[in-house]
Amino acid sequence: MNMSKINRRTLLLTVLVLLLGCASPNPLENYEELEPATVLAHPEAMPSEEYPPEVVAHGQYLVKILRCGACHTDGALAGRPNPARLMAGSSVGIAFTNPLDDARPGIIYPSNLTPDPETGIGGWSEREIIQMVRTGDNRHGGKALSVMPYLAYADLNDEDVRAVAAYLRSLPPVRHEVPANVPEGRRARAPYVHFGVYMSKDLVIDP
Ligand code: HEC
């Protein structure tokens, strides 16, 4: 074995070690897999002067099967659903930008849907709630992020979506302020989860 061969081998080894050292860290290193809450309680409504009990009961049934509480209840996204805060918003947020690209994704915290006037939707009319659920258009003229699955609710018929609004408006108000949304690049102060569908960039869809 001559010198130049040894040198070449040393060089190759050094490059390999350097490459391994620089390999990008696993972006999911700081994440853990979660078991979502399977049993979700939805609170009982209060007697309503505005809506017949069967409409409110139908709304409760719909909200249950559409699993609104899976996001809008504290502890449902991660931890354990908090029975004192059913439908009163989540202190655990949802990342809406790709956490694989940026260690500090944008985060949104599902809102308090009880009729508390300050921290919930006490100021929302039936029409405003209906509009948000089916189209994502909020009462301030903006559009909800599609993390709120309004696209999946777009085909609720008038009777069903009205029952959903009737149920939400008949809930006992719970005072609970959810954390402020976090723009991408900022450090989140409250925990968050992420879910989504990610597609490989190097393969194209064959139409
Ligand atoms: C996958 C999680 C998820 C589910 C399921 C979900 N939401 Fe939401 N919802 C959100 C998020 C996140 C927001 C905040 C959206 C934004 O501000 O851009 C939101 C916002 C809302 C708002 C607006 C409240 C406000 O104060 O701005 C209403 C009303 C609402 N959701 C009702 C519902 C109803 C009713 C259901 C079930 C039929 C439901 N949501 C299911 C995540 C969810």
Side-chain angles (χ1 to χ4, degrees):
M1 202 183 281
N2 62 31
M3 264 314 271
S4 76
K5 238 186 192 161
I6 294 177
N7 276 345
R8 218 178 296 150
R9 197 179 286 174
T10 321
L11 192 70
L12 258 173
L13 259 173
T14 318
V15 169
L16 203 74
V17 167
L18 274 176
L19 271 178
L20 280 176
C22 298
S24 56
N26 175 1
L28 294 179
E29 210 165 39
N30 294 326
Y31 289 83
E32 60 176 328
E33 205 171 330
L34 291 173
E35 288 286 329
T38 45
V39 182
L40 266 183
H42 282 81
E44 291 306 320
M46 299 187 302
S48 163
E49 283 172 15
E50 203 177 344
Y51 302 105
E54 61 276 12
V55 171
V56 175
H58 183 53
Q60 180 180 25
Y61 164 76
L62 288 169
V63 164
K64 216 174 196 168
I65 61 171
L66 295 172
R67 292 185 64 83
C68 312
C71 292
H72 287 279
T73 287
D74 231 355
L77 283 166
R80 198 166 289 173
N82 181 344
R85 293 211 187 130
L86 302 176
M87 300 299 288
S90 176
S91 314
V92 174
I94 303 172
F96 62 86
T97 59
N98 187 349
L100 306 181
D101 279 347
D102 188 338
R104 292 183 180 170
I107 315 213
I108 189 151
Y109 293 83
S111 344
N112 180 344
L113 297 188
T114 73
D116 182 66
E118 277 153 37
T119 62
I121 56 170
W124 291 52
S125 67
E126 178 191 293
R127 197 184 52 81
E128 287 167 341
I129 297 174
I130 289 177
Q131 180 166 291
M132 163 57 92
V133 173
R134 281 201 298 211
T135 69
D137 293 329
N138 72 34
R139 65 203 284 257
H140 315 293
K143 190 103 184 161
L145 291 171
S146 58
V147 177
M148 158 64 197
Y150 59 87
L151 292 169
Y153 306 144
D155 291 330
L156 280 170
N157 67 28
D158 292 349
E159 192 188 332
D160 284 350
V161 79
R162 180 165 183 266
V164 166
Y167 168 66
L168 294 181
R169 299 184 82 216
S170 310
L171 287 176
V174 177
R175 202 181 153 71
H176 174 231
E177 182 131 28
V178 300
N181 297 335
V182 181
E184 192 174 17
R186 295 271 187 82
R187 183 187 293 278
R189 306 219 175 273
Y192 61 91
V193 300
H194 79 90
F195 38 69
V197 178
Y198 297 92
M199 199 174 117
S200 60
K201 289 184 191 160
D202 53 342
L203 297 168
V204 284
I205 298 173
D206 201 357

